[in-house]
Amino acid sequence: MRAIKLTLREISLKLSKAQATVQGFRLLLFCFLSLLILPEQVLAQRSGRALEKPLRAPDTLGLPRVEIPDTLSIAADTLALTDSAKIVPRSSITSEITYHAEDSIIADFLTNKLYLYKEAWFEYGQMRLDADVIVIDWEKSELYASGVTDSLGNINGNPFFKDGNQVYEIRKEMRYNFKTQKAIIKDVVTEQQDGILRGETIKKTDDGSIYLDHGYYTTCKLTEPHWHISSNKLKSIEGKQIVSGPFNLYFNGIPTPLGLPFGIIPNTPEEKASGIIFPSYGEEQVRGLFLRDFGYYFAFNDFIHARVTGDIYSKGSWGVKSQSVYKKRYRYSGGFNLDYQIIKSAETDENPLDTRTFRVTWNHTPESRGTGRFSASVNAGSTSYFNNVVNPTNFQNNIQSDLQSSVNYTKQFAGTPFSLSSSMQHSQSVSTGEVRLRLPTLNVSMNRQNPFQNVKFEPLKTLNIAWNFDFQNSISNRIQPPSPIDPELGGNNTPQLIPFTPDNFGLLLRNANNGAQHRIPVQSTFNLFKYFTAAASANITELWYLQRLSYFYNPASERVDQIVENGFNRVTFYTSSFNLNTNVYGFFNFKKGKIQTIRQHLQPTFGFSYTPDFTDESFGYFQRVQNNANGDTRLYNRHQGFIFGGAPQGEARSLTMSLRSVLEAKIKTDEDSTAEASTKKIPLLENLSINSSYNFAADSFQLSNFNISARTSFFDRKLSINLSSNLDPYATRTFTNTSGNEIVRRVNQFAWKSGQGLGTIRNASLNMNASINPGNTQNPNEVRDELTNQFLQQGGQMNEFVESQINQIVNDPSQYIDWNIPWNLTVGYNLAYSRQTNGNTNITQAMNLSGDVSLSEKWKINFSTGVDIQAKNITQSMIGIARDLHCWQMNVNWVPFGRFTSYNIDIRVKSSILQDLKVSRRRSFFDR
């Protein structure tokens, strides 16, 4: 085995130096002969040189001196000597050429060719060629490469060519001019962005464009691709697009009649690619057969992407969707979506539909920069949207009861403790149709200031004061009737719900609820008696309104009516409190068994709060009015129903009590070891809290209800349980009213004294959730690291687009199918109980079940269903089938019953990034 490594530049330099040496010898001989033949001329040249004379004053009386020119002077030598050793011939080769062969290198000086055999390679600049046979033609600056056919007819060592970022896997042979960077290749496969090109003959130009004869294009990276388009002529323009003549679509090598006279395929990175979005097919019970989400994806630039799609249904319905995303690095990012649907059903239906509906979503997230920040989260639409538009992969959109939106701007004034924030908030109930706008809301606040921070006395040192100003204007389509206001006297104070339409804007604005609030909290926190933490606080609140209510007794109708008085008025009140809390720890050690230690953390808190009585009419906050013909009176709040309410009613001197407990255990993971590393902590009771209060100033019902809540989890947090309840400690009795009906009311007597136990549970809720699968539970950071390493091992290169794809998988795993997990099951149970003081009870309980099961390595069934146990019926259900086709993905969703009965079939090419990550994306708003 012999290896030779030469460079053309070194040979050129050696020849140039030899030529320079011969030329220098000739010039030296010529100069020597000249000195021997012309000595007189040399002497004359020396005598003709004028000597420097000293300066003298001119003699004005003398004759002028005449200068006689030297006629024997010799003209300048036109044969100037040059350094011939610095003359190097220019070459068109601008970079070093390196080549190597494992078997042999043969040089043919007659034809000026070099032959490289066995595992040979040739490098020039960013170009590299590997093959078993490489022929270098120095005269033409050409390369020829091919494999070697053995005795069995197998070809080994086929050429592998790389030019910059382009890679060519050659099955036969190639010719390449390394000066012009043009090539002709026989039977080659090359990767262009996310696609694969293969052709019988390829011509490569110096600008990177490729011309293919009898070629095909596919995004499947397998040797035998699952699909491809075949065409006699293809052209790939680097970084722009792939253009083809007439083509046919092939599946698993089988031709189909699908094709077009020409095709244009984007040849840009996936994050910059524009193209056609193919629709999904299916059928709905209400709107009929459909083609959904057919349109075009626009990648305008690196900052804005958008897609416009349309839906069409067989029963006359249609819709248009526009979705866009934008991002400016280090500044902000967001997306804006609009869905407009015209819904029609057959005229023969029992309840034919002909309606228009829409939905708008907008999210804007800034990155922390400067002192100002603008953010938005908008989710709004017509009430009928979720009752008619089916989303088979996210039923929460169809059953959610509320829509929430907010647009916020905050500003921190540098060098000051002041900040400003302004917002617009929107809330909408899908079930009731109530819409509420808070537009605008304004807040100006001052951070807490410590005026005595240099004082040694701790209560004064930690004393701080703040200030907050809030202004709100609320607009709602739930209108409160002006009168009457007392339902016990025949009135009706139930608000009326009017349509939220432009025709009613005038009425909505007139009934707007607005006001301003000032709050000055003063607080001090300090240690007391070594083991206690004390907190003393006082709050001063002032409300500003432009209206207030005035009540009067109407003797004609024997009821209390109200009128609205316009004019600026203020409501000022204050409260004070003092709280004391401590921490108690208990340890229970076990010498035997798997449990090593049980630790309990108790945090008791006691406090006292005081609120004066502001019901005196001298304040003007309350009004005592006659409410019947007998002369009985009742106290009414003159700011009842206002946006910030009014002053508190009655004096309060309350003792508050709360207890929080946490219980956890330390168990041994290895029975034979007692080292610290062999134990782990498990929660037994993550939180148990009980709180109540006792008002010494109240004349009855001094003890308030007990609020109890508990939370825990089991089996490495795979099962979580949440429990909450409200316990009324007072007894109830049955009375008969004037109509002869029995009613149940609370009495001012404790339940345990009346033989009614500890009290009555007014509200209770139980929530249980379990997620079970054989895969290891990982936190989001571990999942992100695993996906990143998996992608890099597949040969991928990280960029912003890949990172965004991985972050989407980590942040919303429900939108992706993990083929590595054989099965997954999520179970949820919800129970809600309420019992009013009149004895009426209400119980709701439901169970939700969802998950997926892998039938094989490539087939997976997913499902979602539920049972309303109280109503004894099955809730909205869905069955889906997912098929991993490597470079394709197929999703079939079926809603078997209910209003949203439908099916949906979706087959599309999978992103190459998701191919490498081995996950599939479910259909969602922004799938391409």
Side-chain angles (χ1 to χ4, degrees), residues 11 49 94 133 148 151 159-160 184 188 247 279 294 369 375 387 411 441 484 488 555 605 689 818-819 855 866:
I11 296 173
R49 294 179 181 175
T94 58
V133 176
V148 176
S151 58
F160 188 85
I184 295 179
V188 65
F247 68 88
F294 177 74
R369 187 174 183 177
S375 63
N387 296 328
K411 173 70 175 179
T441 64
E488 294 186 4
T605 301
S689 62
D818 192 342
W819 296 92
L855 300 180

Side-chain angles (χ1 to χ4, degrees), residues 270 307 393 801 804-805 807-819 882-884 888-891 893 906 908-911 913-915 917-928:
E270 186 169 352
R307 59 176 267 172
T393 61
F801 186 70
S804 66
Q805 291 277 330
N807 288 332
Q808 287 180 24
I809 299 173
V810 174
N811 297 330
D812 193 5
S814 63
Q815 293 298 315
Y816 292 83
I817 303 173
D818 192 342
W819 296 92
R883 174 70 164 96
D884 182 14
W888 289 73
Q889 69 182 71
M890 178 186 71
N891 292 303
N893 296 300
D906 182 32
R908 63 187 57 245
V909 178
K910 190 195 297 184
S911 163
I913 294 175
L914 297 184
Q915 292 179 37
L917 294 178
K918 293 184 173 59
V919 295
S920 299
R921 182 145 171 78
R922 306 180 194 271
R923 287 292 300 135
S924 67
F925 217 45
F926 273 101
D927 274 347
R928 277 183 269 177

Side-chain angles (χ1 to χ4, degrees), residues 631-692:
D632 297 331
T633 60
R634 178 176 294 183
L635 202 63
Y636 292 96
N637 191 333
R638 305 192 70 174
H639 301 92
Q640 181 68 35
F642 282 34
I643 193 165
F644 293 111
Q649 182 176 350
E651 182 185 8
R653 297 192 300 269
S654 299
L655 173 67
T656 59
M657 302 161 287
S658 68
L659 178 64
R660 179 178 177 269
S661 176
V662 177
L663 194 66
E664 58 185 8
K666 181 184 288 187
I667 63 173
K668 298 177 182 179
T669 57
D670 187 359
E671 295 182 356
D672 297 332
S673 176
T674 58
E676 185 68 23
S678 63
T679 62
K680 70 174 182 178
K681 292 181 181 180
I682 60 171
L684 300 179
L685 190 61
E686 294 182 357
N687 180 55
L688 172 64
S689 62
I690 304 173
N691 62 79
S692 182

